[in-house]
Amino acid sequence: MAYPETYQKVLEADQLVRPLAPEDVPAVLDIERQGYSHPWSESVFLDCFKDNYRLWGACHGDMLIAYAVVNYIVDEAHLLNICVHPGARGEGVGRYLLRHVLATAAHEGMSQLLLEVRVSNHAAIALYQDEGFHEVGQRPGYYPAANGREDARVLMRALGH
């Protein structure tokens, strides 16, 4: 998928974040498989269509270009998965979707948003820190990796009400 140089302007004018439906799972899986070395399965995504989850898709026109999966537990939101199509990376889509997740969680009464991120994912870590997240811990061997396991940084951001 190729995007024009003016994609950012188009994105700002034509960006839509909407709830995902089970019918979106094939498009989500396509992005997931292109984005991760150890992608979630279809059954894992389908299992997230429950009351205490929020599944969001960022669209450009009718095309799904990113998604996020958030679990709500009591007053805490946990960002389980966020991924942007490789052809749309670096254009602000991830930030736009993350800000939607944060605003919605705050609006729905969540006090904080937690997430795990691979220690090697410097671009995502920079984005999260830029959006006000700070490290609250690490999870050794949390992610599968090509040569065993990779540690995760646990990041948190308080949500104002």
Side-chain angles (χ1 to χ4, degrees), residues 52-72:
N52 60 323
Y53 285 80
R54 303 295 182 271
L55 288 83
W56 300 108
C59 299
H60 178 65
D62 291 337
M63 186 178 2
L64 185 70
I65 56 173
Y67 62 85
V69 179
V70 186
N71 181 219
Y72 285 11

Side-chain angles (χ1 to χ4, degrees), residues 41-120:
S41 68
E42 179 179 18
S43 63
V44 169
F45 279 107
L46 289 172
D47 196 46
C48 293
F49 287 95
K50 297 178 180 170
D51 288 345
N52 60 323
Y53 285 80
R54 303 295 182 271
L55 288 83
W56 300 108
C59 299
H60 178 65
D62 291 337
M63 186 178 2
L64 185 70
I65 56 173
Y67 62 85
V69 179
V70 186
N71 181 219
Y72 285 11
I73 304 169
V74 187
D75 69 341
E76 181 180 288
H78 191 164
L79 180 61
L80 301 175
N81 194 337
I82 187 168
C83 190
V84 176
H85 188 285
R89 290 189 184 152
E91 304 293 340
V93 177
R95 183 179 308 273
Y96 187 92
L97 184 56
L98 178 63
R99 286 180 176 174
H100 177 84
V101 166
L102 289 164
T104 303
H107 179 77
E108 294 189 69
M110 299 295 109
S111 64
Q112 63 186 3
L113 183 81
L114 283 170
L115 61 87
E116 288 85 14
V117 60
R118 288 179 183 270
V119 294
S120 64

